[in-house]
Each structure stands twice: as structure tokens, then as C-alpha cells.
Amino acid sequence: MTTQYDAVIVGAGFGGMGAAIKLKELGLTNLAIVEREDDLGGTWHVNHYPGLAVDIPSATYSYSFEPNPYWSRLFAPGAELKQYASHVADKYDLRRHMRFNTSVSAARWDNEDRHWVVATGGGETLTGKYLLAATGFLSQPKMPDIEGVETFAGKVIHTTKWDDGFRAAGRAIGLIGTGATAVQLIPELAKDAQELTVYQRTPIWVVPKGDAKVPGVVKRLFARVPLTQKVVRAVGSAILEAIMVGGVLHFRQLKSFNRIASLLAKGHLFAQVRDPELRRKLTPDYDFGCKRPTFSNTYFRAFAKKNVSLETTRIDHIEADGIVTADGRKAVIDTLVLATGFDLWEANFPAFEIVGRDDRSLGKFWRDNRFQAFEGITVPKFPNFLSLNSPYSYSGLSYFDTIESQMRHMTRLFREMASRGADTFEVTEEANAEFLDRMTRKLDDSVFYLGSCQTARSYYFNQHGEAALLRPTSTGAAYKEQESFPLEAYSLA
Ligand code: NAP
């Protein structure tokens, strides 16, 4: 079979687009970027619920090589991220490679033809010399496993399928979940809903969000003197790095740093909620950082409104017209909002069936052994495959650090192949095992294993209780290593 494409990239979000930009720069220009949604932008296309905004400073949450001087706020609203994604696709001429409404069902390495055979849900087959999975970490919505949820007769909205025509005014809304999405959405629904009952299973750490409008004069300065925005980006990155490295990864050495973060969050709660009982309910009983913390100036305040109540009794079941808690009380509602997040480990690692050399299935390999990927990007027996959303790949707090450090890995790997006249790579078992060992040992210092995380119900942990999502190094160290990993880690042919 002839090979149709230099590479098939699955996913047209920021990860897939970053990889496409890099491949084109490396001379691989015949690309197919396959996307199951009807447009590009990934998370920022799918999510459009009220209140959606980035919660990492925008100067940092963007490609370093493509700064946007025109963000309207320090933390831009979701729609601007979607616009930014479109701008990047146009500027780097990515759109012509994209196929929308095309989901990938499976991919298999063909060892004879030395390429990947990719099957789409529509029955089409694509072949590519390289395969890149850029399906995102939070892309498989989770429906709550609550008895009777499917029998609810009113309006049901999962936050990833927001109905833009929905108006909260006059509605009695039951909202399940208090993750980062709910933290943004609740204050918006609270403005107009007749009644809003929030069902919280696990409270979340919330710290103040230092947000502000960016004045026109600053935007003009960023546009005229890009160095000024670079400085702002560096400051934002340094703060995030301090939270991540100090508060989470080096818990053993810097416990006080973690305590300061939780005190900041407690002070924020104290300043916004007068009722001690409500404060108690909203205070997490697990350590800061066990679960992704959130940033908001309006979340706690929403609970002080007369039309908003916080329900912490376990949900027993859902009926056609309401939610019944374990103590037998029923809240009659006409709208059920599911802010219940995503299935990360079961449905997303990997997001479709991937079969490598010797019939090794990636999903089975990860489940039977441990979740692992060399430098968070390649796996033994999966030649010419880059798994961008892998165990131990997520570096720092801004996703763009992960994307750009992986782009550096690609540069080093593909340049080496070019210099040796090779076009096939496969990471060795030894290099992969060494990396997994090293990451595992580093995690011993983290809040995940030294802190109190038992009650956090955090998606940082997988089904085996391992915190195998985040790369337990500073982003600086990750960047450096992606540019200097030993080339013997790969067999090239
Ligand atoms: P999430 O953090 O996984 O939160 C889901 C919520 O639903 C949790 O409070 C969870 O409770 C609750 N839940 C799930 N199933 C339930 C059930 N059966 N019964 C009761 N409660 C249930 O999901 P998310 O809020 O969508 O956020 C996911 C991630 O997206 C964030 O951590 C963040 O990384 C990202 N995000 C980023 C932004 C941004 O601005 N950049 C905005 C939104 C989201 P438990 O905790 O008890 O499981």
C-alpha cells in the first residue's frame, strides 16, 4: 500500500496544531489533521458555557512563538482563545490539512509497509508515515453514574454541550460538580436563576484570580515592543512554576509553600463567606495541590445569594422532576446541569485503539503494566508514533509548556533521523524503563504521595492509585531534557 501522508495528526486543538507547525518546519508538509468536531480549537471549540475563561494568564497560555498582544483581559474569555486558535491555523496555513467531523476509531502499525493505517468512524482508511495522537487530556465528557439520571424529564446540559440559547432566568437548576468548570459557571447561573442548588461531593481549593482588563495602551505597547509582553509572560510562568514546583512537586522540601497556598485560599473564603457552617462545607479536607486548584473571585460569593444553596448530602438518585439526597429530601428542579468533568484514564488513555508492532495494544499495555511513555511522548513497540497526551507528559500548569517541550523533542528526534537518513524511530525498552523509574522516584517528594490526598478524588491519580499524569520536574528541566535526551534512546532505521 502506498503511504498517503507524511503524518496523520489526530486532533485539531492547540496540541495538534503545535505539532503540525513543527512538522512543517521540519519539512514534513503532507499532513492530514483529523478532527472529530466540526471546527478547530479543541477544548476552546467544545466548551462555550457562560463564564468560560482561561485560568492561566493569557500571556503565558499561548504559543511563545505566536504572542497575541490583543488579549482583552489578563485571563482571556474562552471565545478569544477560540479566535486565537483560528488565527494560528490561518497564519501557519494549517486549515487546508484539516478534516472535520472525522473521528478516528483505530490505528495500526503496518510493519511491512512501514506506516500507520488509520481507520475513521466513517469507514475511510488513511495511511501516514507518522501518527500523532493529539486528542487532549480532557476530551471525553463524563456522565455521572447516579441512579435515575437518564430518567430526568427536564432540560439536561453537560457543560461540554452547552446550549447557547439556554436562559437561567425563571429556572430551578440543580448543578452537579464543583470542579474548575463549575467554579466558572456557578456565578454566571447564580445571576439569573430562580433557584440554583449546587451538589458538591468534594470541595475545591479556590485562590483569588488576579484578573483585570488590559488597557489599550498596554496592548499597543505589547504590539510595538513584543519584549514587554515576553517579560509579562516570564513573570506569569514564574508564578505558575513556583506553585507547581514549590507547592506540589517538592512537598517534602517546601511544605511551608504548600501551607501558604492553602492559607491564601482559606483567607479568600473567609473574606467572602460570613457563615461559618457554609465556610466549613466549602473547605477541602485534602492538601492543596492533590487536585487541580482553581482561581476565582466570584465563586464563593455566589453562595451568599438568596437563590443559591449548597447541598453536600450525597445524591441518592434522580427522578423525573428532581434530585433526591441520601437523607430522603428531594429538590424539585426543571434543569439539570452536569459539570461532572471528564473521563481521563479509562476513556482517554488512549482515546482510540492503537496497535503497534507485535500486535501490542497501547490501552492493554498501559493497563496490564503501568501507564508510561518515554519523556511523555513515545512508547516501545510503537514505531513512528508520538503520543502527545501521555502519562507523565503534562508539564507545569500551562498546557503550552507541555506542547512546546514536546515540539522540542520532535525537533531533536526528526533532525537526528534526517542526519542519519532514517525515517523510522522506536524508543528502546531500556530508555523507557529508565524514564519511568526516574519519574516514579521523583514523585516520592510530591504532595501526591507525601500529602493527604485520599479524599481528593483527583484525576491526577489513575485507577492504580498512581499520580501518573504530571511530569514531576520543573518546566525548565523538561524543556532542557527534551532538547538533550540521549539519542541512543531510539532505534532509528
Ligand atoms: P472536574 O474537575 O473533574 O470536576 C468534576 C466535578 O463533578 C467534581 O466536583 C466531581 O466531584 C463532580 N462529579 C463527577 N461525578 C459525580 C457524581 N457521580 N456525583 C457527584 N459529583 C460528581 O471537571 P471540570 O470542572 O470540568 O474541570 C476539569 C479540568 O478542566 C480542570 O481541572 C481544569 O484542568 C480544566 N478546566 C480549565 C479551565 C480553565 O479556565 N483553564 C476551566 C474549566 C476547566 P468529585 O470531585 O467528588 O469527583
Side-chain angles (χ1 to χ4, degrees):
M1 208 193 282
T2 55
T3 307
Q4 292 168 285
Y5 296 101
D6 290 336
V8 176
I9 301 174
V10 187
F14 284 123
M17 292 205 297
I21 291 169
K22 179 50 73 186
L23 287 178
K24 288 178 82 159
E25 197 185 297
L26 291 162
L28 294 145
T29 53
N30 180 18
L31 307 176
I33 306 173
V34 185
E35 169 59 56
R36 72 177 175 190
E37 303 295 333
D38 60 2
D39 200 359
L40 57 88
T43 279
W44 301 101
H45 172 61
V46 170
N47 286 287
H48 42 90
Y49 57 80
L52 175 70
V54 66
D55 63 5
I56 300 292
S58 293
T60 298
Y61 192 89
S62 42
Y63 297 110
S64 61
F65 56 84
E66 190 53 45
N68 170 20
Y70 302 110
W71 299 117
S72 66
R73 306 189 67 83
L74 286 178
F75 296 82
E80 287 184 31
L81 269 299
K82 163 82 190 190
Q83 265 172 26
Y84 174 70
S86 296
H87 158 77
V88 171
D90 290 335
K91 177 159 175 186
Y92 293 85
D93 190 21
L94 302 179
R95 238 178 245 277
R96 69 191 169 89
H97 304 288
M98 293 180 179
R99 297 163 169 235
F100 298 116
N101 299 308
T102 308
S103 62
V104 167
S105 52
R108 176 177 281 275
W109 171 250
D110 182 328
N111 212 30
E112 239 163 63
D113 288 332
R114 315 293 286 166
H115 63 199
W116 283 91
V117 181
V118 180
T120 72
E124 206 187 344
T125 300
L126 311 175
T127 53
K129 187 89 214 149
Y130 303 99
L131 172 68
L132 289 89
T135 46
F137 293 92
L138 303 162
S139 53
Q140 314 293 339
K142 186 165 86 185
M143 302 305 279
D145 50 351
I146 299 171
E147 188 194 323
V149 65
E150 67 292 342
T151 65
F152 183 69
K155 186 162 183 67
V156 182
I157 320 179
H158 191 282
T159 52
T160 54
K161 296 234 169 344
W162 197 260
D163 171 358
D164 293 331
F166 175 75
R167 296 288 169 264
R171 294 279 192 163
I173 304 173
L175 181 147
I176 303 177
T178 51
T181 299
V183 164
Q184 296 186 334
L185 177 60
I186 287 166
E188 295 302 312
L189 295 179
K191 286 179 188 164
D192 301 314
Q194 190 179 320
E195 279 171 49
L196 172 62
T197 310
V198 175
Y199 289 84
Q200 170 189 277
R201 187 164 65 180
T202 310
I204 186 143
W205 287 110
V206 185
V207 291
K209 188 171 180 178
D211 194 14
K213 241 180 121 173
V214 181
V217 59
V218 174
K219 290 183 202 168
R220 286 192 292 278
L221 179 68
F222 284 170
R224 274 189 213 141
V225 191
L227 181 66
T228 53
Q229 197 178 20
K230 276 194 181 150
V231 171
V232 173
R233 180 184 176 102
V235 171
S237 300
I239 295 170
L240 296 173
E241 190 75 348
I243 297 176
M244 195 62 189
V245 175
V248 177
L249 301 179
H250 286 290
F251 186 75
R252 185 189 297 279
Q253 298 84 354
L254 296 164
K255 205 172 281 175
S256 53
F257 203 96
N258 184 287
R259 295 283 174 260
I260 292 168
S262 55
L263 281 175
L264 175 68
K266 280 184 183 165
H268 184 44
L269 174 61
F270 186 81
Q272 297 207 339
V273 176
R274 303 316 317 156
D275 174 1
E277 178 57 10
L278 183 57
R279 272 205 305 268
R280 188 189 61 74
K281 289 181 174 174
L282 288 166
T283 305
D285 64 354
Y286 54 88
D287 279 326
F288 186 92
C290 291
K291 182 173 200 154
R292 188 183 183 283
T294 61
F295 307 81
S296 172
N297 303 327
T298 51
Y299 175 65
F300 289 138
R301 275 205 190 109
F303 291 100
K305 298 186 89 162
K306 284 204 177 67
N307 59 335
V308 181
S309 49
L310 178 68
E311 181 57 73
T312 55
T313 309
R314 184 178 63 79
I315 298 174
D316 183 74
H317 66 279
I318 294 179
E319 297 181 352
D321 61 346
I323 300 183
V324 181
T325 40
D327 53 8
R329 281 180 298 123
K330 174 173 169 179
V332 175
I333 56 166
D334 55 41
T335 305
L336 177 62
V337 175
L338 302 173
T340 45
F342 303 86
D343 184 343
L344 188 70
W345 293 100
E346 279 305 336
N348 206 45
F349 271 141
F352 55 92
E353 192 192 27
I354 301 175
V355 179
R357 208 159 53 74
D358 297 344
D359 282 334
R360 178 179 274 185
S361 147
L362 186 59
K364 185 165 171 7
F365 170 66
W366 276 342
R367 279 158 188 75
D368 288 354
N369 298 280
R370 291 169 60 196
F371 285 85
Q372 53 195 281
F374 174 66
E375 294 288 349
I377 192 165
T378 50
V379 185
K381 297 220 176 189
F382 291 84
N384 289 6
F385 172 53
L386 296 170
S387 174
L388 302 188
N389 316 111
S390 280
Y392 305 106
S393 63
Y394 204 106
S395 194
L397 278 170
S398 168
Y399 184 32
F400 284 85
D401 281 321
T402 305
I403 297 170
E404 292 198 27
S405 65
Q406 292 183 325
M407 288 168 76
R408 291 182 194 199
H409 191 104
M410 290 166 64
T411 305
R412 182 165 171 79
L413 177 57
F414 281 79
R415 288 215 175 127
E416 182 63 13
M417 279 200 290
S419 76
R420 291 208 221 159
D423 64 359
T424 309
F425 66 82
E426 185 181 326
V427 69
T428 65
E429 299 274 7
E430 297 72 34
N432 176 61
E434 187 279 329
F435 181 78
L436 177 61
D437 259 16
R438 195 153 47 87
M439 294 303 112
T440 310
R441 269 184 275 118
K442 279 188 176 293
L443 276 168
D444 282 344
D445 285 346
S446 74
V447 72
F448 303 126
Y449 296 149
L450 288 178
S452 164
C453 289
Q454 296 75 9
T455 55
R457 287 177 179 271
S458 166
Y459 64 73
Y460 288 162
F461 293 85
N462 65 22
Q463 51 278 66
H464 310 306
E466 291 179 310
L469 179 66
L470 304 182
R471 180 187 176 112
T473 69
S474 68
T475 54
Y479 277 118
K480 205 165 154 213
E481 203 169 311
Q482 301 289 27
E483 285 173 344
S484 62
F485 59 83
L487 293 164
E488 313 78 72
Y490 285 99
S491 313
L492 305 181

